[in-house]
Amino acid sequence: MSQIGNNIKKLRKVKGLSQQAFAELFGLTRGNISSYEEFRAEPRIEVILQIAKYFSIPVAELLEKQLTVNEILNFEDYFVEEKGGKNTKNLAQIPFLGREAFQVDQGGIGYLADLPQIYFPAYSKSRFMAVENSSFIPRPVSFPFEENAVLFFEHVEVDILHTLHKHFGLYLKGDVLFFGQYEVEGKDIELVLNDWKKVSFTAEEAECFWKLYAKFEKVF
């Protein structure tokens, strides 16, 4: 049985694309994508080739196997695949925000629990999230990370507040997201985007603050 419908749906979710946005990438309609995902039709071969090329996925895999999140992200050589197995016991399961999630008209970021998950060797009891660096995300002028690098963030808890000064971080509240740099003066903590935008850390908004933990960049 062809897996193209399952894989189109998974590609959309991992990349944060609505059916309409996915359709527009390949000159299709939202109804086309819906029919593929519900197994009422299959795309023409030229469309399959376009999808495979766009997402850098072998055509045979797109058609014949259910792709994992790590395969879609081309992380399979580095991270354990989504469903996990005996090797995932000591790895953190982390929600992943891809670059497409921040483009205009994608319907917002949504809940972290609804995002695709990857496994990562983060040996800590803290919560983590991963974000694909993108020009769509506001960041300080000094932000040093390459486009498409995957940045891993640790949730800010009380016991790491003293480590924040001058470290890069992430603010996420609803559909508002930006990278910034922490400034700590006494008990006052701010995540600074630039001279005009900054947010103060408070107990009431603690859920919105994250500290950069690690980065992943492919070397070609």
Side-chain angles (χ1 to χ4, degrees):
M1 177 181 176
S2 171
Q3 298 296 327
I4 187 67
N6 287 327
N7 287 332
I8 286 175
K9 186 173 184 178
K10 196 158 194 175
L11 279 164
R12 282 200 308 101
K13 289 187 174 182
V14 171
K15 295 297 187 176
L17 295 166
S18 66
Q19 288 184 334
Q20 182 64 40
F22 191 95
E24 290 175 357
L25 288 174
F26 306 106
L28 303 170
T29 67
R30 189 199 63 78
N32 290 143
I33 305 305
S34 176
S35 66
Y36 303 155
E37 294 182 359
E38 295 172 7
F39 303 100
R40 292 183 283 107
E42 287 200 355
R44 301 185 308 275
I45 186 62
E46 56 266 32
V47 173
I48 293 172
L49 293 174
Q50 284 181 310
I51 294 172
K53 182 178 180 180
Y54 185 89
F55 293 107
S56 300
I57 296 170
V59 174
E61 293 187 10
L62 186 62
L63 287 170
E64 297 170 4
K65 67 179 295 187
Q66 291 192 35
L67 297 172
T68 67
V69 173
N70 286 1
E71 287 170 333
I72 290 171
L73 298 173
N74 295 312
F75 285 174
E76 66 272 18
D77 293 335
Y78 301 89
F79 305 126
V80 179
E81 66 181 38
E82 181 192 31
K83 294 300 182 183
K86 63 182 180 181
N87 296 322
T88 65
K89 181 178 179 181
N90 296 317
L91 301 179
Q93 189 176 3
I94 300 176
F96 174 78
L97 274 171
R99 60 184 287 112
E100 286 86 355
F102 311 110
Q103 296 184 32
V104 178
D105 299 328
Q106 296 309 311
I109 295 169
Y111 296 101
L112 294 185
D114 296 331
L115 294 175
Q117 306 284 308
I118 58 175
Y119 284 85
F120 182 74
Y123 303 107
S124 169
K125 294 182 179 179
S126 299
R127 288 188 292 136
F128 295 91
M129 67 179 298
V131 181
E132 186 177 9
N133 188 25
S134 164
S135 58
F136 294 105
I137 307 173
R139 81 285 303 280
V141 173
S142 61
F143 201 65
F145 303 105
E146 296 291 332
E147 186 85 357
N148 302 326
V150 177
L151 306 178
F152 292 84
F153 292 89
E154 176 185 14
H155 186 250
V156 172
E157 306 287 352
V158 173
D159 57 354
I160 69 167
L161 292 180
H162 65 287
T163 71
L164 294 179
H165 188 57
K166 296 300 181 182
H167 279 270
F168 288 109
L170 169 75
Y171 179 80
L172 174 60
K173 183 178 182 181
D175 290 344
V176 178
L177 180 148
F178 67 85
F179 299 129
Q181 190 168 31
Y182 283 104
E183 298 287 345
V184 179
E185 185 173 348
K187 293 185 177 180
D188 295 327
I189 301 172
E190 292 182 324
L191 184 61
V192 180
L193 171 62
N194 52 40
D195 290 342
W196 302 275
K197 186 175 180 63
K198 61 187 72 174
V199 287
S200 297
F201 178 89
T202 64
E204 293 77 16
E205 283 211 328
E207 191 68 22
C208 306
F209 291 85
W210 302 77
K211 176 189 174 184
L212 184 67
Y213 181 85
K215 68 174 181 177
F216 167 75
E217 292 177 337
K218 288 192 174 182
V219 178
F220 296 96

